Amino acid sequence: MYGGLILLVFLALLFAWGLNRVRRVLRLGPVGYVGVMIVFVIVMLLIYGQTVR
């Protein structure tokens, strides 16, 4: 169970690092950045919820 959670945290950090690079290229504002992060967190929680069952 904890292996999946550790993997999700690692993926979140990797996604945040990549999104930061993409944000510089696309010049996303803080609102766009927060919006993408919220969507990512919701999707990851849904995926984690499906694997726990």
Side-chain angles (χ1 to χ4, degrees):
M1 180 174 151
Y2 291 116
L5 194 57
I6 292 170
L7 179 63
L8 284 178
V9 170
F10 174 72
L11 285 175
L13 290 174
L14 188 65
F15 180 78
W17 175 78
L19 181 61
N20 202 21
R21 287 175 129 353
V22 169
R23 184 177 67 117
R24 286 185 196 144
V25 173
L26 296 179
R27 292 184 171 84
L28 280 176
V31 175
Y33 187 74
V34 169
V36 171
M37 286 306 289
I38 289 173
V39 168
F40 176 76
V41 167
I42 291 171
V43 168
M44 283 295 124
L45 287 174
L46 289 173
I47 291 172
Y48 181 70
Q50 290 295 319
T51 58
V52 169
R53 276 195 228 173

